[in-house]
Amino acid sequence: MGKPKFYDFCVHAAPDGDNTIEELASLARHFGYSGIALANHSDKLPDKKPPLPSIEGFEVFRGIELVEENPSKLHGLIGKFRNSTDVLIVHGGSEAVNRAALENSRVDILNHPAFDRSSGLNQVLAKAAAENGVAIGITLRPLLHSRGSRRIRMLSDLKANLELARKYEFSLVLCSDAMSCFDLRSPMETLAFAEVCGLEEDEAFDAISTVPENILKKNRPGPGYVREGIEVLEGGDIF
């Protein structure tokens, strides 16, 4: 069995964050990641699509975190960006936005589902996440930067979402949600922090390794891919 690969699928570079994608990628590689996704918020995109850095033994994926309160407009943004991104994230919050994201199989991850004093998820939304293959993001930056009653509430929301994930078997993704290099944490630190927050060891590992790899496989099919369930094998046979 080879060395596990770890990914951080939500980092924000300038102009959304404080550092360049080159700086974030260099530090993430130093920490031991195999790849990260540049996922700037859709309302803070640069004027021109930035080139992704090429680093030996490390990959930078093109992503986006969609920010839109109107569900109809959100579906339009999903259609606009889906084919040009490796990782498509929706910034959740309201029940309407959460529902729109979780009922759309073209979405990879829903981040920040909590809104007001609720976990943002319920049994109906959890079932939709499982049926449509949309993962729920566990973002470290808000937890690390919160204190007192706010952190207690966030941990309570996380616990509620974990219970739903175990019952309805939807996927979880651990990501830094980094706005600067200071927000990045190594894979081992991330795993340890996740376990402190209530994830089991295997859940935390899957959320930073297996689930991101599955998202890449879904969005980056091999050369023989035609469409889901159909593949061209060597020799031209179609299965």
Side-chain angles (χ1 to χ4, degrees), residues 11-62:
V11 301
H12 306 283
D16 194 7
D18 295 335
N19 293 99
T20 65
I21 186 59
E22 289 81 6
E23 290 169 331
L24 289 161
S26 178
L27 182 58
R29 183 180 183 275
H30 173 74
F31 280 161
Y33 285 98
S34 296
I36 59 173
L38 169 62
N40 282 1
H41 293 94
S42 58
D43 57 350
K44 295 183 180 179
L45 295 177
D47 295 332
K48 294 182 179 180
K49 185 182 291 186
L52 299 181
S54 177
I55 302 175
E56 185 178 356
F58 185 87
E59 200 162 1
V60 179
F61 306 102
R62 194 171 296 282

Side-chain angles (χ1 to χ4, degrees), residues 57-136:
F58 185 87
E59 200 162 1
V60 179
F61 306 102
R62 194 171 296 282
I64 193 168
E65 185 167 355
L66 301 178
V67 180
E68 177 53 63
E69 288 300 314
N70 184 299
S72 296
K73 292 182 179 179
L74 175 61
H75 285 301
L77 287 176
I78 293 169
K80 177 181 178 180
F81 289 102
R82 175 65 281 178
N83 292 335
S84 60
T85 57
D86 299 307
V87 184
L88 193 148
I89 303 169
V90 170
H91 188 112
S94 72
E95 184 174 354
V97 170
N98 291 348
R99 179 184 292 273
L102 295 175
E103 290 181 348
N104 193 323
S105 61
R106 293 177 295 173
V107 174
D108 296 317
I109 305 168
L110 173 65
N111 275 352
H112 316 294
F115 177 70
D116 195 18
R117 296 192 64 81
S118 97
S119 71
L121 298 180
N122 54 39
Q123 293 180 343
V124 173
L125 295 180
K127 189 177 295 185
E131 290 175 351
N132 293 295
V134 182
I136 301 299

